[in-house]
Amino acid sequence: MAWQKMLYSCCLLTMCLTYVLAKPPPDKKDRVHHGQDLSDHTHDDKQDFQYDHEAFLGKEEAKTFDQLSPEESKARLGKIVDRIDRDGDGFVTQPELKDWIKHTQNRYIYENVDKNWKDYDSNNDGHIAWEEFKNTTYGYYEGDSFGDLENKETYQKMLARDERRFKAADKDGDLIATREEFTAFLHPEEFDYMKDVVVTETIEDIDKNGDGLVGVDEYLGDLYSPDSGEPEPDWVKTERQQFLDFRDLNKDGKMDREEIGHWILPPDYDHADVESKHLLFESDKDKDGKLSQEEFIESYQRVLDDAKSYSEIMKRMHPHQEL
């Protein structure tokens, strides 16, 4: 029996090593913009309301609410409902709830914009002009087309790329970005009207022969740099087949702009839309298609009570682990 166990262990080790050698490296590029799920928890109200809790407030804010007394959470929820109710009619509609959920889930984007805003709005006028951005980013080097810098061609390409993206984000063409336009500049993948520039930048990164298309070797070359004489890993073979089966939709051997757009910015499941409809259905007691403040707070307090119970259970099970 001992030799059987040893043989089994050796086989298991071989399988593990094969998996490690075959799987993509941790730094493998992933150019696909994935829609973000709203919570790591299972969306099952029969089990708990953790998914709804984090979807509505965001993960960090949900943890804060778990520590509040019922009176404090009720007061804070009332203020949040007022913010969700954008038209001030005293009711929360499904579109308003959807927009709120998207806002809470994209909070990291707004924090990134706030951080950069301070660096680039040099005259503190509440806007960022192209000249402000350019001077802050490249002004020290830009004189005489970047002068004698060893890698000045790289800087010139970066400047041209930033200018093109800035102009694409600048809807009214005045070369002065509002906060929303600057957000589109920093995070173009989040805005439908920026899709074309995201596709263009992707082609520039991958298209090595300059034909404006991406072939299978260019696609793989963006993911994988083989060592001389090294056999092609299994994951690369899988990616090659993915290109043939799902990336190259018209089967002409290359990806054109439309196919690249479908690859990097695929039509996605709208988590916020589904969750907003779910919350409205569960909370709308009089079934009039909208939520009064009282309806919402009464329903959400049940979610908070469940979340606190869940938190206490997890603390008892894992007393030294931060949740």
Side-chain angles (χ1 to χ4, degrees):
M1 294 296 293
W3 69 267
Q4 289 178 319
K5 290 182 179 180
M6 184 178 297
L7 179 61
Y8 173 78
S9 299
C10 289
C11 290
L12 183 62
L13 178 60
T14 301
M15 290 170 62
C16 292
L17 286 173
T18 301
Y19 173 74
V20 170
L21 293 173
K23 71 177 183 177
D27 59 347
K28 169 181 171 286
K29 291 188 182 73
D30 184 3
R31 294 187 178 272
V32 180
H33 176 59
H34 300 280
Q36 187 178 19
D37 203 351
L38 307 181
S39 170
D40 295 331
H41 293 273
T42 302
H43 197 184
D44 183 1
D45 291 350
K46 294 179 181 178
Q47 180 176 324
D48 59 51
F49 296 107
Q50 288 299 308
Y51 185 101
D52 294 333
H53 187 39
E54 293 185 358
F56 179 71
L57 292 173
K59 293 180 182 180
E60 294 305 316
E61 188 67 12
K63 292 178 183 178
T64 300
F65 260 77
D66 292 345
Q67 311 304 316
L68 299 178
S69 68
E71 294 75 19
E72 291 172 325
S73 62
K74 184 175 181 179
R76 191 173 296 190
L77 279 173
K79 294 178 181 178
I80 290 177
V81 173
D82 289 339
R83 291 171 60 189
I84 299 173
D85 178 22
R86 291 174 304 175
D87 59 11
D89 67 351
F91 294 92
V92 172
T93 62
Q94 186 265 330
E96 289 173 332
L97 193 53
K98 175 183 174 180
D99 288 346
W100 168 261
I101 291 172
K102 282 190 172 182
H103 174 80
T104 60
Q105 297 299 321
N106 289 334
R107 192 168 287 153
Y108 74 96
I109 293 177
Y110 305 125
E111 290 173 352
N112 176 251
V113 171
D114 288 342
K115 180 181 178 181
N116 282 278
W117 192 271
K118 299 172 185 177
D119 295 332
Y120 293 112
D121 183 17
S122 55
N123 62 4
N124 297 312
D125 68 347
H127 296 82
I128 295 176
W130 165 246
E131 288 298 320
E132 286 180 301
F133 178 84
K134 182 178 70 170
N135 290 338
T136 301
T137 307
Y138 300 100
Y140 182 77
Y141 301 103
E142 196 190 357
D144 193 24
S145 298
F146 296 104
D148 297 327
L149 279 176
E150 182 178 344
N151 53 350
K152 70 177 183 179
E153 288 186 4
T154 300
Y155 278 95
Q156 289 169 344
K157 289 179 180 178
M158 289 169 58
L159 173 60
R161 184 161 167 154
D162 279 344
E163 184 174 11
R164 180 182 59 208
R165 188 194 283 195
F166 193 97
K167 288 179 177 178
D170 176 29
K171 285 185 174 181
D172 57 12
D174 62 358
L175 290 180
I176 300 175
T178 62
R179 186 172 288 271
E180 181 181 352
E181 289 170 337
F182 192 64
T183 303
F185 170 73
L186 292 180
H187 299 275
E189 69 283 349
E190 299 290 342
F191 293 79
D192 288 339
Y193 81 97
M194 295 293 288
K195 179 176 180 177
D196 191 62
V197 78
V198 175
V199 170
T200 297
E201 290 178 1
T202 303
I203 292 173
E204 287 179 347
D205 290 342
I206 303 177
D207 174 27
K208 301 306 180 185
N209 63 9
D211 65 354
L213 304 168
V214 173
V216 63
D217 290 334
E218 291 170 326
Y219 171 78
L220 293 174
D222 185 54
L223 303 173
Y224 171 63
S225 299
D227 294 330
S228 179
E230 178 189 43
E232 187 173 86
D234 288 344
W235 73 265
V236 176
K237 294 177 183 177
T238 300
E239 286 288 350
R240 186 185 297 277
Q241 198 61 44
Q242 286 279 324
F243 181 95
L244 298 174
D245 293 342
F246 303 110
R247 308 284 184 243
D248 178 20
L249 299 176
N250 62 7
K251 308 306 177 187
D252 66 351
K254 294 177 180 290
M255 281 195 290
D256 57 26
R257 293 187 66 87
E258 184 177 353
E259 290 167 330
I260 292 169
H262 191 273
W263 163 44
I264 61 175
L265 297 166
D268 201 11
Y269 178 82
D270 194 332
H271 298 280
D273 185 62
V274 173
E275 177 63 10
S276 61
K277 290 175 180 175
H278 167 72
L279 289 177
L280 181 66
F281 177 81
E282 293 295 332
S283 307
D284 185 15
K285 301 303 181 185
D286 58 10
K287 302 303 176 185
D288 63 351
K290 55 188 178 182
L291 301 178
S292 67
Q293 185 174 99
E294 291 74 17
E295 280 180 316
F296 189 90
I297 291 177
E298 179 184 349
S299 179
Y300 201 81
Q301 196 63 50
R302 184 164 59 102
V303 173
L304 285 174
D305 291 342
D306 177 86
K308 289 177 181 178
S309 298
Y310 174 87
S311 179
E312 289 302 318
I313 291 172
M314 294 303 291
K315 284 179 181 177
R316 288 196 294 270
M317 292 176 62
H318 307 283
H320 304 296
Q321 181 176 338
E322 184 179 351
L323 300 177

